[in-house]
Amino acid sequence: MDNKLIYMKDIVKYYKMGKSTLTVLDKVSLEIQEGEFVAVLGPSGSGKSTLMNIIGCIDVANSGEFSLVDEDMMKKNEDQLAYIRNRVLGFIFQRFNLLPKYKAIHNVAFPLLLRGYNKEKAYSRASELLEKVGLGDRMDHKPTELSGGQQQRVSIARALVGDPKILLADEPTGALDSKSGGEIMDLFMQLNDEGNTIVLITHDLQIAQKAHRIIRVKDGKIYA
């Protein structure tokens, strides 16, 4: 099936630092099809997080071509990029980024409440997803009452709640022990088997090897 969700050609990202220029991404090109599970692998400082931020519409490239779900991202303004972030993408972070004072079910429902869903519908969807990630008995627990692996499952349920086209996971096992990390990767593989497109950033080859395809990033360039 040839259905490109992500298309990048000759993407350049640099930062001005006084009189010097730091090039973080140097003519990066890639394509990711619907239904793929891709790992972006590279050491710290390789440019992989900047690449993820551009795919996630958090940062903007200086030049090149970038389309997401057949829309040209290089021509979008900040409001349009924010809309795409909220509707097309689901984010999973290394440190979970959960709301500490709220129960798991509210953390998952929160993006839908922001979109204007009524509380009953938002909580129903959140409950369904917490069951799906194996936390049906932990819905009323706050983040501090959950293990790291359980918090990451809440984070994954939250990322899924808006039915995104693409899941972006930035070092999702980085704050977990190896057992919990392995369980989270098993969950990602299950989600991919169900048709979810996943782009996962990691510095860990063992984690990357769980994906269908590895994109290696070093010194701002992509290597096959």
Side-chain angles (χ1 to χ4, degrees):
M1 179 173 59
D2 184 28
N3 188 359
K4 286 193 287 285
L5 288 186
I6 299 169
Y7 172 78
M8 288 180 154
K9 185 177 180 185
D10 293 336
I11 286 290
V12 173
K13 179 66 183 180
Y14 58 80
Y15 297 97
K16 292 283 189 184
M17 303 178 74
K19 292 182 178 179
S20 62
T21 300
L22 175 65
T23 300
V24 184
L25 295 176
D26 187 8
K27 294 194 173 179
V28 163
S29 299
L30 67 87
E31 295 182 11
I32 294 175
Q33 309 287 332
E34 185 174 7
E36 277 201 279
F37 183 3
V38 175
V40 179
L41 176 68
S44 179
S46 61
K48 65 184 187 300
S49 292
T50 302
L51 178 62
M52 174 72 96
N53 286 342
I54 291 172
I55 293 172
C57 302
I58 294 165
D59 205 347
V60 181
N62 297 100
S63 63
E65 299 174 38
F66 171 37
S67 63
L68 203 58
V69 290
D70 292 326
E71 288 195 53
D72 185 353
M73 294 295 107
M74 300 296 283
K75 296 178 179 176
K76 303 287 186 189
N77 63 33
E78 181 48 47
D79 287 344
Q80 291 168 324
L81 290 173
Y83 181 86
I84 286 160
R85 273 198 304 275
N86 291 332
R87 303 289 168 143
V88 175
L89 302 162
F91 293 92
I92 298 132
F93 302 97
Q94 178 176 347
R95 295 288 172 188
F96 323 130
N97 288 17
L98 300 175
L99 300 166
K101 294 181 181 178
Y102 292 96
K103 296 174 181 178
I105 192 163
H106 182 82
N107 268 281
V108 176
F110 190 64
L112 295 184
L113 297 171
L114 285 179
R115 286 191 199 179
Y117 278 63
N118 71 51
K119 193 172 180 180
E120 184 181 353
K121 189 173 180 182
Y123 272 67
S124 172
R125 175 71 174 144
S127 171
E128 176 189 320
L129 283 167
L130 284 167
E131 290 277 3
K132 182 184 184 71
V133 301
L135 290 179
D137 59 344
R138 295 284 189 273
M139 294 189 196
D140 291 330
H141 288 59
K142 293 180 181 178
T144 53
E145 300 166 333
L146 300 171
S147 69
Q150 289 170 336
Q151 289 185 64
Q152 194 59 291
R153 287 172 186 270
V154 175
S155 165
I156 290 168
R158 179 185 59 192
L160 288 165
V161 78
D163 291 318
K165 292 275 189 186
I166 303 163
L167 288 174
L168 294 180
D170 190 0
E171 298 277 8
T173 62
L176 305 177
D177 60 55
S178 57
K179 181 177 182 291
S180 298
E183 290 169 354
I184 290 300
M185 290 308 298
D186 288 344
L187 179 55
F188 278 126
M189 287 188 285
Q190 176 194 325
L191 292 170
N192 179 244
D193 287 344
E194 293 169 2
N196 290 280
T197 306
I198 301 170
V199 182
L200 183 148
I201 289 257
T202 184
H203 66 276
D204 186 331
L205 179 59
Q206 277 190 302
I207 294 294
Q209 285 171 335
K210 303 267 190 178
H212 292 165
R213 179 160 67 100
I214 298 175
I215 294 168
R216 296 172 191 270
V217 182
K218 185 180 178 185
D219 300 328
K221 293 180 181 288
I222 280 181
Y223 297 85

